[in-house]
Amino acid sequence: MSKKYLVIGSGGREHAIAWALSRDSESYVLPGNPGMVQDAQIISGNPNDFEFVAKKAKELEVDAVVIGPEAPLCVGITDVLEEHGLKVFGPKKSAAKLEGSKVFAKEFMKKHGVPTANSEVFSNEEDAVAFIKKLSFPVVIKVDGLAAGKGVQIVYNMFDAESVLHGIFSDGKFGASGEQVVVEEFLVGKELSILGVTDGNVIKPLPHSRDHKQLLDGNRGPMTGGMGAFCPVPGISSELFETIRTTILEKTLEGLKKDGIPYKGVIFFGLMLTDDGPKVLEYNCRFGDPETQVVLMQIETPLSEIVDAVVDGKLADLEINVKKGFSAAVVLASEGYPGSAKKGFEITGVTNARNEQHSKVFFAGVSETDGKLVNSGGRVLACAGSGTTLKQALGRAYRLTSIISFKGNQMRGDIGGRYARRRKSIFNFRLKIGSRSCKKGN
């Protein structure tokens, strides 16, 4: 009798989780989206009604509930579900503060010696401006609370700094999330994402990856929720990975234990590899997006076994095996994203894309109209591919972008480019695969 899992969420990350679980189990997603129907059973309903979620999970007799997005975790969905006797892959409200409050996270890191950028916390515009005037640019400004990936601003001069702070404090752009800000030094280096699974007793890293946050090629343009990713990242030595594991992952778990904060689920570590060593940019209390799409393609151990080991407190007994090779994903976003997205356009090429070998489309901002998929959000889907080399994985991902499409879609043409093309222009690469979708956002 196969096991059953209920995934909470509706984005590409949740599609990837449901897809991975469906390999050996029955997978349900609430509320899901119509693009997921090939991999999971869609359960309609309000995911923010935690009592309803608990009721459905019991009716389905699931072995565990896997929480995808950060918002329900930060307001206590795990606490409620566990009170109903359900097993939950995702931290309680007290632990989710690692993501829910930048102020809490920075204070936690300082307290427990986790390497991070130097910073100060402010609750008013005047003091923050006065402090920044003493600093060298660029400077990073982060709102304290959740902001859908848009609460971090890098400013390069005083005018921009004052404008950003005015928008946060005086204009209330981020509401309650912007009642406090963290002002920190700008770290120079390469970014790295690591997903660590923990049952509160031990923590084990999944393969490292790299996200591309800005909208345009060459890391230009506004920040987004992520325009693509690849896994693993070439050039990360075993020595560096061990340093990250001991000085960041292990120290974080030790800090949680010392503070009496139980944690079961994923801790996302957004890192910067500086000349002074790896430092934490941010914590997330859940799987990242689009990192999850590429990381789970590389995991050989069934995700169901990982989830079970975490919720049962037996992670120490599980060996997590990783496939050889690489995976990559390219996000197709709606025209206007990350601002006001233009929606309602039919997504074409869906059936043909499903027939591509070593490739997968993970759906996010989609809905159904007259039996056809249409774009209904900012980031609409991720075209993912795997291969023995990063070049091959990227070739398969970009090939999907030439098959599946919708009016006005935006994408980056340089995901993983410097590694895959040995510093040659990614533009030629895009011409070779015949992409129809690169005019916007480049």
Side-chain angles (χ1 to χ4, degrees), residues 109-216:
M109 286 185 270
K110 289 180 181 179
K111 178 180 178 181
H112 297 292
V114 179
T116 187
N118 294 323
S119 65
E120 294 290 341
V121 176
F122 298 94
S123 56
N124 66 78
E125 187 175 342
E126 294 75 18
D127 290 345
V129 168
F131 177 73
I132 291 176
K133 286 180 177 178
K134 303 174 184 177
L135 304 179
S136 299
F137 289 97
V139 169
V140 182
I141 301 173
K142 300 178 178 180
V143 299
D144 177 43
L146 299 179
K150 301 179 181 70
V152 178
Q153 298 287 335
I154 302 170
V155 293
Y156 295 88
N157 54 62
M158 202 63 226
F159 177 83
D160 289 345
E162 291 178 337
S163 177
V164 168
L165 290 168
H166 187 80
I168 294 170
F169 287 112
S170 298
D171 296 340
K173 182 178 179 181
F174 295 94
S177 290
E179 290 180 356
Q180 287 184 295
V181 299
V182 175
V183 177
E184 67 180 36
E185 66 174 324
F186 178 80
L187 296 178
V188 177
K190 292 291 184 181
E191 290 194 35
L192 189 72
S193 300
I194 294 183
L195 302 173
V197 290
T198 179
D199 60 357
N201 302 309
V202 299
I203 186 166
K204 294 191 175 184
L206 301 182
H208 46 74
S209 60
R210 180 164 291 156
D211 184 15
H212 294 65
K213 285 289 186 188
Q214 288 177 277
L215 180 68
L216 308 178

Side-chain angles (χ1 to χ4, degrees), residues 4 24 26 31 52 92 110 217 279 301 304 358 371 423:
K4 301 178 182 179
D24 66 351
E26 289 186 54
F52 170 77
K92 292 184 177 181
K110 289 180 181 179
D217 282 8
K279 297 185 179 183
T301 301
S304 61
H358 309 291
R423 299 180 183 272

Side-chain angles (χ1 to χ4, degrees), residues 340-385:
S340 180
K342 296 184 179 181
K343 307 172 185 178
F345 301 114
E346 180 184 352
I347 301 170
T348 60
V350 175
T351 301
N352 289 338
R354 287 183 182 136
N355 295 328
E356 289 293 305
Q357 296 295 309
H358 309 291
S359 305
K360 181 68 179 176
V361 177
F362 295 109
F363 290 95
V366 302
S367 59
E368 194 171 46
T369 301
D370 297 327
K372 298 177 180 178
L373 291 182
V374 298
N375 69 316
S376 61
R379 290 186 298 167
V380 178
L381 55 89
C383 294

Side-chain angles (χ1 to χ4, degrees), residues 1-171:
M1 184 175 178
S2 64
K3 292 200 169 187
K4 301 178 182 179
Y5 299 89
L6 176 61
V7 180
I8 303 302
S10 61
R13 163 186 51 219
E14 289 76 36
H15 189 180
I17 294 169
W19 165 77
L21 288 170
S22 70
R23 293 175 180 180
D24 66 351
S25 307
E26 289 186 54
S27 182
Y28 302 86
V29 188
L30 192 165
N33 71 61
M36 300 180 182
V37 293
Q38 298 290 318
D39 303 299
Q41 297 182 52
I42 307 303
I43 307 297
S44 60
N46 180 6
N48 297 313
D49 183 344
F50 301 159
E51 293 294 331
F52 170 77
V53 173
K55 179 182 177 182
K56 276 295 179 182
K58 288 181 177 181
E59 287 177 0
L60 295 169
E61 299 181 331
V62 299
D63 291 270
V65 182
V66 181
I67 314 301
E70 64 275 15
L73 288 167
C74 289
V75 294
I77 186 172
T78 298
D79 305 66
V80 173
L81 297 185
E82 287 187 348
E83 287 173 2
H84 282 272
L86 294 161
K87 293 182 178 180
V88 185
F89 184 92
K92 292 184 177 181
K93 182 178 180 180
S94 60
K97 286 183 70 177
L98 280 180
E99 178 171 6
S101 171
K102 295 292 192 297
V103 172
F104 174 85
K106 295 299 289 191
E107 291 175 346
F108 175 89
M109 286 185 270
K110 289 180 181 179
K111 178 180 178 181
H112 297 292
V114 179
T116 187
N118 294 323
S119 65
E120 294 290 341
V121 176
F122 298 94
S123 56
N124 66 78
E125 187 175 342
E126 294 75 18
D127 290 345
V129 168
F131 177 73
I132 291 176
K133 286 180 177 178
K134 303 174 184 177
L135 304 179
S136 299
F137 289 97
V139 169
V140 182
I141 301 173
K142 300 178 178 180
V143 299
D144 177 43
L146 299 179
K150 301 179 181 70
V152 178
Q153 298 287 335
I154 302 170
V155 293
Y156 295 88
N157 54 62
M158 202 63 226
F159 177 83
D160 289 345
E162 291 178 337
S163 177
V164 168
L165 290 168
H166 187 80
I168 294 170
F169 287 112
S170 298
D171 296 340

